[in-house]
Amino acid sequence: MQGASLGRGGSSPYFFLSYAHTPNHDSSGADPIVWVKKLFDGLCEHIMELTDLPKGAKVGFLDQGIQVGTRWTDELSVNLARCKVFVPLYSPRYFRSEQCGREWWAFSQRQVNHRARGGVARDSAIIPALWVPVEPAQMPQVARDLQFNHATFGQDYADEGLYGLTKLRYLRDEYERAVYRLAKQIVRVANDAALDEGKFSKDYESLPAAFGSAEHPPEFDISVLACTRSDLPQGRKPDYYGDRPHDWNPYHPESTLPLGDHAADLVRTMDYKVNVGALDDNSRMLRQEKPKAPGLMLLDRWALETTKNKDLMGKLCEEQRPWVSVMIPRHRNDIVPAEKEQQLEELTYRTLVPRLADGAGHCAANGSVHDLDAFGNELQRAVASAVFYYWEHVETYPPEGPPVKPPRLKGPDLG
């Protein structure tokens, strides 16, 4: 995310309640947010009892000003960057909301970066709550992947959702039970997750949405072209490499994950099925004349010193494949002698020069991707560019079945 890093301290709410605003069906009815506010207040009350938070502490965050078409606020962004747990309030309307998708995406980046930096793998800090039951087929992949058992909060809750329990008087006790159990889950996960504070963004409209869109390719390809420890050029440190090209980790020791895996985690939060592999002659990126999926090429400059790898990258660049973005990351602490640096820059330039033409696709080089945060920011632009060019070049097919003649208007005098 863009923006300055938040300092330690300050107000860090236990949870962020994310919901889709339901418009009034007429001007005389009460604002539907009153029922969401009732839930929020109940959660805050229970969490105060279940913890040792002092009086006046910020227990949760609820943006009561959310309306269709309103803009991202600094307050909302800061609370997403600081909250311990994210609670999406499921409903069919929730998964159609672009704002809710961006809130989910913004929080999920903290989990992805926590994992990349060696954070202990625990349960997700996203705890879904049912406002209205939603069939799995209506959910995006990121929601289905959570596999949360809502029946642990009560079968009536799983069947009716919190809105139903609120409206059905004979289920009032079940409502209170579900809210209490949800509060207990929030406290447990908040104490276990220990996520680092994130960064806040003022440029909300530029953030991806976790639920995709109507014009959203289902798959995304990621390829890695890198050295291995067995074929390192002379003078190259082995710290960033493993036994396979896929093991390349240019942000060591800041990151403990191979870069391809970290990139895949980030792209999955945008609701793609991600395919990751090393670039070779059989890679889909090289075989396709027309795109089957948008893609991202992660290039280790040192790999270009072998003829085979230089030819592979040259083949990718020579033919116009703008739906494949290219990123050449290296950590700011990866210091190379000046003479060798000049050789690498010239080699990279000669190989990638076709990518520098207008309309050739996204290419991030020249040391701009110098740490994990810069990589995450640049990856957003790389994915957006790849998807844009994918739609520019993808083949379209007519509907299946025999051709249908266009309809013709007939009137009494037209026969």
Side-chain angles (χ1 to χ4, degrees):
M1 298 175 66
Q2 306 289 334
S5 180
L6 298 172
R8 291 289 173 186
S11 182
S12 298
Y14 255 69
F15 71 100
F16 183 108
L17 187 60
S18 174
Y19 71 101
H21 190 276
T22 302
N24 289 331
H25 72 279
D26 59 46
S27 58
S28 61
D31 190 336
I33 195 180
V34 299
W35 306 113
V36 177
K37 182 65 164 58
K38 175 186 176 184
L39 168 64
F40 176 77
D41 291 341
L43 290 172
C44 290
E45 178 182 345
H46 291 317
I47 290 172
M48 284 297 292
E49 293 291 343
L50 293 168
T51 65
D52 60 354
L53 288 173
K55 181 180 179 180
K58 191 168 189 176
V59 183
F61 178 81
L62 174 70
D63 187 349
Q64 299 180 56
I66 292 179
Q67 299 288 341
V68 176
T70 56
R71 293 177 62 85
W72 184 269
T73 66
D74 288 350
E75 182 184 17
L76 188 148
S77 184
V78 167
N79 279 279
L80 274 171
R82 286 179 170 164
C83 66
K84 297 175 174 65
V85 173
F86 182 77
V87 182
L89 205 51
Y90 281 11
S91 69
R93 194 182 303 276
Y94 186 84
F95 294 114
R96 292 197 298 268
S97 167
E98 192 172 20
Q99 171 146 323
C100 294
R102 284 179 169 141
E103 290 172 1
W104 185 307
W105 182 87
F107 183 84
S108 67
Q109 299 312 289
R110 292 174 58 195
Q111 296 195 122
V112 171
N113 289 329
H114 181 75
R115 177 173 174 244
R117 290 187 168 100
V120 178
R122 296 187 174 95
D123 293 341
S124 173
I126 299 177
I127 303 176
L130 287 181
W131 187 243
V132 177
V134 182
E135 293 295 327
Q138 294 180 281
M139 297 180 185
Q141 189 62 47
V142 289
R144 293 197 297 270
D145 286 346
L146 285 178
Q147 299 180 339
F148 192 86
N149 183 9
H150 294 283
T152 59
F153 292 168
Q155 190 57 51
D156 287 320
Y157 162 77
D159 293 340
E160 307 292 349
L162 290 164
Y163 177 76
L165 300 185
T166 298
K167 290 298 185 178
L168 300 173
R169 292 185 179 180
Y170 74 96
L171 293 177
R172 186 171 299 169
D173 290 344
E174 291 301 319
Y175 173 83
E176 296 297 340
R177 183 178 291 110
V179 175
Y180 178 69
R181 289 175 176 173
L182 177 57
K184 286 178 63 179
Q185 182 78 350
I186 290 171
V187 172
R188 184 189 70 79
V189 172
N191 291 334
D192 289 345
L195 291 179
D196 294 331
E197 288 185 354
K199 296 184 176 183
F200 71 94
S201 172
K202 295 184 178 181
D203 190 9
Y204 163 62
E205 287 77 9
S206 71
L207 300 184
F211 309 149
S213 66
E215 295 186 354
H216 186 75
E219 295 187 64
F220 196 95
D221 292 341
I222 297 177
S223 288
V224 179
L225 185 62
C227 301
T228 67
R229 290 194 173 187
S230 63
D231 63 4
L232 287 179
Q234 185 176 2
R236 184 58 172 155
K237 295 180 180 178
D239 306 34
Y240 307 108
Y241 302 96
D243 296 331
R244 306 168 303 158
H246 183 82
D247 296 328
W248 179 46
N249 177 13
Y251 298 119
H252 170 82
E254 179 185 0
S255 171
T256 61
L257 280 182
L259 186 64
D261 290 345
H262 179 57
D265 284 345
L266 289 169
V267 177
R268 286 190 189 100
T269 65
M270 304 176 199
D271 203 37
Y272 290 98
K273 176 186 175 183
V274 182
N275 310 301
V276 188
L279 185 71
D280 57 34
D281 290 320
N282 295 318
S283 295
R284 182 159 69 170
M285 284 185 182
L286 293 180
R287 289 187 287 108
Q288 56 187 8
E289 295 181 0
K290 292 291 184 180
K292 303 299 183 184
L296 173 64
M297 179 70 238
L298 301 175
L299 174 64
D300 170 25
R301 301 181 302 162
W302 292 82
L304 297 176
E305 294 203 336
T306 69
T307 301
K308 178 183 177 181
N309 288 336
K310 185 169 65 173
D311 289 345
L312 281 171
M313 198 64 202
K315 183 178 179 181
L316 180 71
C317 294
E318 285 169 4
E319 297 183 21
Q320 285 290 317
R321 294 183 177 91
W323 57 87
V324 177
S325 294
V326 176
M327 295 178 66
I328 311 175
R330 67 181 189 273
H331 198 277
R332 59 162 61 93
N333 295 331
D334 183 9
I335 306 301
V336 178
E339 183 178 354
K340 187 62 180 180
E341 177 65 33
Q342 183 176 354
Q343 292 175 2
L344 287 171
E345 285 190 3
E346 291 176 354
L347 176 60
T348 304
Y349 175 80
R350 288 197 305 269
T351 307
L352 271 68
V353 68
R355 299 284 307 192
L356 305 181
D358 291 340
H362 184 89
C363 186
N366 300 321
S368 61
V369 196
H370 51 68
D371 60 24
L372 270 185
D373 289 332
F375 178 81
N377 292 335
E378 189 65 28
L379 180 134
Q380 295 174 38
R381 292 184 279 272
V383 170
S385 174
V387 171
F388 171 81
Y389 284 113
Y390 168 83
W391 288 121
E392 288 274 303
H393 293 82
V394 70
E395 288 186 347
T396 57
Y397 298 93
E400 295 182 0
V404 178
K405 293 182 178 181
R408 297 178 62 188
L409 295 176
K410 291 186 176 181
D413 297 329
L414 299 178

